[in-house]
Amino acid sequence: MLVVKGLHIGFRRDGIVHEVIKNISFQLERNQILGVVGESGSGKSLASLSLIGLLPENAVTEGEILFQGIDLLKLKQKNLRKIQGNSIGMIFQEPMSSLNPTMTCGEQIAEVLEHHASLKKITTREHVISLFEKVKLPRPQDIFTSYPHQISGGQKQRVMIAMAIACQPDILIADEPTTALDVTVQREIITLLKELQSEIKMGILFISHDLSLVSEIADKIIVLRKGVLVEEGTVTSIFKNPQKEYTKALTNAKPRLDRRLKILPMVKDFINHKVSLSEYTTEERTQFHQKLYSGTPLLEIRNLKKYYQKNSWFSRGKDIKAVNGVSFTLYEGETLGLVGESGCGKTTLGRTIIHLEQSSGGSMIYRGKDITRLNSSELKGLRKEVQVIFQDPFSSLNPRITIGSAILEPMIVHNILSSSAERKSYVLDLLEKVGLKKEHYNRYPHEFSGGQRQRIGIARVIALRPKLIICDESVSALDVSVQAQVLNLLNSLKEEFNFSYIFISHDLSVVKHMSDQLAVMNQGKIEEIGDADMIYHSPKSIYTKTLIDAIPKGL
């Protein structure tokens, strides 16, 4: 149904064509799911955009993209529009930026149907609601009249899927459709796509950086790296017997569930044949815990609450109990993992601890002192010792100042070191410590990759020499290989500076790798808490078992 032959894509800048995709060929058959795997910059999304004519104007292409015998690269724009959304549908990576915030969800699907299917407005509404039912959206009538910001991330993704399949396309391109979604929602989306593919008999191009996830849905896989097709084959052959070192790296970069590695292997380790899979022994773990828990608690949370009051007429007086009586103890040098689905309260808990939210009840004892209510002077002191690494480093960095200035700024506020020369020297050393270069000091945030920006965020936090760092979904949007680098960095910094971490994530495999103690949150409460390995191997809560079962495990 789709044949890509010798595809080259480059971009013309200053009269020179810079090649990005180099001579890739593949085909997609009817009723088949083809997985396209690679890191950011591998060209996987760019290849998919070329199928529907969404490349930038300065793009230069060679080769053929044959859809039902027609070369899409040679079609005029008006003829290509008949195929876009009609014969080839696409689910984009970030539904919030792909949906129009000024239109209801129902109106946006109706617009697609009216454009391609020429349906009357009376039947269009019924058709949209039936599509919402097909993608298993709850309360489809209400979703029709809801705006994108009024529904959850998983629901927005289902609206995008409904839009993509509205005209029953022959091919569906799913570009990272589950990135940053909870593992349970991710599993639901994967199951839904497989059911829809079986029903409509369409071919699906499923794009992801996560090889384990792709293995759960694809029939065949192609692996891209730096614009080159590295390897292709069935899911079984790619997973059980990968031929290329890069493919082996993607398979092994994600934290292992069956054992706890000291250092996660990275792509360069496989390429250079320097892979070490050293793991902690039970004796080492036992000795570490005995030493850890014999000390004095750094933070004691007792019956902490954070309630929000609803403002609607019908629910007046009813509170949203985001954090509802949470208790735990964190020791110096310990990592406490907080895991749970979106809306469980884990981020609100972290924000309440660092006083970005005011608690509604309970107590927080930090280094023996109650920090539940602080004045401005005391709060400034706390902010120096308790820091946070945010999920999106780009939005937390000022685009107008260099990264050197961004790291210096909080040091000046909190009087770290006595002179400008000392501070700059310290920042230059920090950049090297987090895996960047000294010459990066004068560059701006937009000049760095996602993994590099996360390293900048880490450098900015550790510049203040804190005692406690809250990592709030700090690796959830990163490629598995970059994720491995950042996780290794966080662990090495913890060992060097004796940091304590509260590590918040919806990905239980990452949390298990990082954590000494694990707390599972659900609806504002802790379902269970204890040793991370013990909870994974012997979960007591049904909710925890559901989270573990939903983790993509590969073959």
Side-chain angles (χ1 to χ4, degrees):
M1 184 164 58
L2 177 75
V3 180
V4 176
K5 289 183 180 178
L7 179 64
H8 293 258
I9 300 176
F11 295 99
R12 192 183 303 279
R13 294 190 190 95
D14 302 323
I16 301 171
V17 176
H18 302 269
E19 197 171 31
V20 179
I21 287 185
K22 306 159 189 174
N23 193 31
I24 67 171
S25 300
F26 62 88
Q27 62 186 43
L28 175 67
E29 298 170 17
R30 185 174 296 280
N31 202 25
Q32 182 191 56
I33 302 178
L34 176 66
V36 184
V37 181
E39 299 171 275
S40 293
S42 64
K44 56 190 188 299
S45 293
L46 199 60
S48 70
L49 292 174
S50 70
L51 304 182
I52 52 175
L54 291 181
L55 291 175
E57 287 185 2
N58 65 332
V60 179
T61 58
E62 288 182 20
E64 295 178 310
I65 299 176
L66 303 173
F67 171 63
Q68 297 177 346
I70 301 167
D71 190 348
L72 299 180
L73 291 179
K74 293 178 180 175
L75 277 185
K76 291 183 178 178
Q77 196 61 38
K78 67 174 185 178
N79 294 325
L80 194 57
R81 279 198 200 101
K82 295 176 183 176
I83 292 174
Q84 292 170 346
N86 195 14
S87 300
I88 302 178
M90 186 158 186
I91 308 165
F92 292 96
Q93 179 172 352
E94 178 45 66
M96 194 61 198
S97 59
S98 305
L99 293 170
N100 188 334
T102 67
M103 294 174 66
T104 67
C105 296
E107 286 172 340
Q108 298 188 56
I109 313 294
E111 189 177 53
V112 173
L113 289 168
E114 287 162 13
H115 178 73
H116 288 290
S118 302
L119 296 175
K120 294 179 181 178
K121 289 206 171 184
I122 304 169
T123 56
T124 298
R125 182 186 173 92
E126 295 172 1
H127 198 104
V128 172
I129 288 171
S130 72
L131 279 169
F132 284 170
E133 289 171 345
K134 185 172 283 189
V135 298
K136 298 180 181 175
L137 274 165
R139 305 171 287 101
Q141 300 273 0
D142 293 337
I143 299 281
F144 188 97
T145 56
S146 298
Y147 289 90
H149 73 272
Q150 295 176 309
I151 60 177
S152 71
Q155 288 171 341
K156 281 194 279 279
Q157 197 60 286
R158 288 171 189 268
V159 170
M160 283 295 298
I161 294 171
M163 187 184 291
I165 67 164
C167 300
Q168 295 202 318
D170 298 301
I171 294 175
L172 179 64
I173 302 169
D175 187 8
E176 299 273 11
T178 62
T179 297
L181 292 178
D182 300 332
V183 284
T184 48
V185 179
Q186 181 176 268
R187 171 62 65 85
E188 290 169 6
I189 297 294
I190 292 291
T191 303
L192 172 63
L193 286 174
K194 289 173 82 170
E195 288 175 357
L196 292 171
Q197 185 258 345
S198 178
E199 181 183 338
I200 302 174
K201 307 298 181 190
M202 59 187 169
I204 293 182
L205 212 61
F206 189 91
I207 300 166
S208 178
H209 61 261
D210 190 337
L211 195 50
S212 298
L213 178 66
V214 171
S215 72
E216 300 212 336
I217 188 171
D219 302 305
K220 289 181 68 179
I221 293 176
I222 62 172
V223 180
L224 300 182
R225 185 187 185 218
K226 296 180 179 178
V228 176
L229 199 155
V230 174
E231 188 166 357
E232 62 182 315
T234 63
V235 172
T236 305
S237 67
I238 291 290
F239 245 91
K240 298 288 188 185
N241 190 30
Q243 299 301 303
K244 303 295 182 181
E245 298 304 319
Y246 181 68
T247 311
K248 294 175 186 175
L250 290 184
T251 309
N252 288 280
K254 204 165 183 185
R256 299 287 295 262
L257 290 164
D258 57 341
R259 51 185 169 158
R260 184 184 287 259
L261 297 178
K262 292 181 178 179
I263 299 175
L264 290 172
M266 294 180 286
V267 169
K268 65 178 182 180
D269 298 328
F270 282 88
I271 302 298
N272 298 328
H273 301 282
K274 293 180 178 179
V275 178
S276 172
L277 296 178
S278 175
E279 57 186 291
Y280 287 102
T281 64
T282 305
E283 186 179 352
E284 284 176 319
R285 292 272 295 155
T286 302
Q287 287 176 352
F288 175 74
H289 281 172
Q290 285 174 346
K291 181 181 177 182
L292 185 69
Y293 298 123
S294 63
T296 305
L298 179 71
L299 177 69
E300 295 175 84
I301 302 295
R302 295 288 173 259
N303 197 31
L304 189 65
K305 299 178 178 128
K306 176 58 188 174
Y307 297 168
Y308 297 98
Q309 193 167 15
K310 285 186 178 179
N311 294 320
S312 72
W313 177 262
F314 296 104
S315 57
R316 188 169 291 173
K318 293 181 181 177
D319 290 333
I320 299 172
K321 298 180 179 180
V323 177
N324 190 16
V326 166
S327 299
F328 64 83
T329 300
L330 178 73
Y331 286 81
E332 194 165 344
E334 181 186 18
T335 298
L336 168 71
L338 269 179
V339 72
E341 297 171 288
S342 293
C344 71
K346 56 189 188 295
T347 292
T348 303
L349 174 58
R351 288 173 64 85
T352 305
I353 291 170
I354 58 175
H355 284 65
L356 290 178
E357 301 282 357
Q358 189 68 52
S359 66
S360 304
S363 63
M364 297 183 285
I365 311 298
Y366 173 71
R367 300 178 78 181
K369 180 181 177 181
D370 192 342
I371 59 166
T372 312
R373 298 284 183 270
L374 298 177
N375 59 39
S376 58
S377 174
E378 291 170 327
L379 186 57
K380 184 180 177 182
L382 178 72
R383 291 269 163 80
K384 178 180 176 292
E385 295 202 7
V386 182
Q387 282 284 303
V388 59
I389 302 171
F390 293 101
Q391 178 174 353
D392 181 4
F394 194 57
S395 63
S396 59
L397 291 169
N398 187 334
R400 298 179 195 168
I401 65 173
T402 64
I403 64 151
S405 299
I407 299 170
L408 276 175
E409 189 178 53
M411 293 179 66
I412 295 167
V413 170
H414 291 285
N415 299 313
I416 304 292
L417 302 178
S418 56
S419 70
S420 298
E422 281 183 301
R423 290 186 192 110
K424 183 173 179 179
S425 176
Y426 183 62
V427 171
L428 290 171
D429 288 342
L430 273 181
L431 289 176
E432 291 193 323
K433 196 174 286 292
V434 299
L436 295 170
K437 296 177 180 177
K438 289 186 177 180
E439 54 261 38
H440 290 157
Y441 183 93
N442 291 315
R443 294 187 189 175
Y444 290 86
H446 72 273
E447 298 180 77
F448 297 90
S449 69
Q452 287 175 320
R453 283 197 289 262
Q454 196 59 282
R455 290 170 185 269
I456 294 164
I458 293 169
R460 193 171 191 234
V461 162
I462 66 173
L464 297 183
R465 303 170 179 173
K467 296 288 186 183
L468 169 61
I469 299 175
I470 297 173
C471 305
D472 189 5
E473 297 281 9
S474 52
V475 297
S476 63
L478 300 177
D479 293 336
V480 285
S481 54
V482 180
Q483 184 184 83
Q485 294 172 23
V486 174
L487 294 177
N488 288 341
L489 172 63
L490 288 171
N491 274 333
S492 66
L493 291 172
K494 173 189 168 183
E495 195 170 319
E496 181 176 350
F497 295 105
N498 200 33
F499 292 141
S500 297
Y501 290 138
I502 294 179
F503 194 90
I504 300 170
S505 178
H506 62 261
D507 188 335
L508 208 149
S509 61
V510 169
V511 174
K512 174 185 173 291
H513 170 76
M514 292 294 292
S515 305
D516 303 301
Q517 190 176 194
L518 176 63
V520 181
M521 282 195 74
N522 182 23
Q523 297 181 350
K525 296 185 176 183
I526 290 182
E527 287 264 338
E528 60 180 304
I529 186 168
D531 179 80
D533 290 344
M534 291 287 288
I535 284 184
Y536 175 75
H537 291 295
S538 304
K540 296 182 176 64
S541 160
I542 294 173
Y543 178 75
T544 309
K545 290 177 184 175
T546 304
L547 288 181
I548 293 170
D549 290 342
I551 300 170
K553 299 175 178 67
L555 297 183

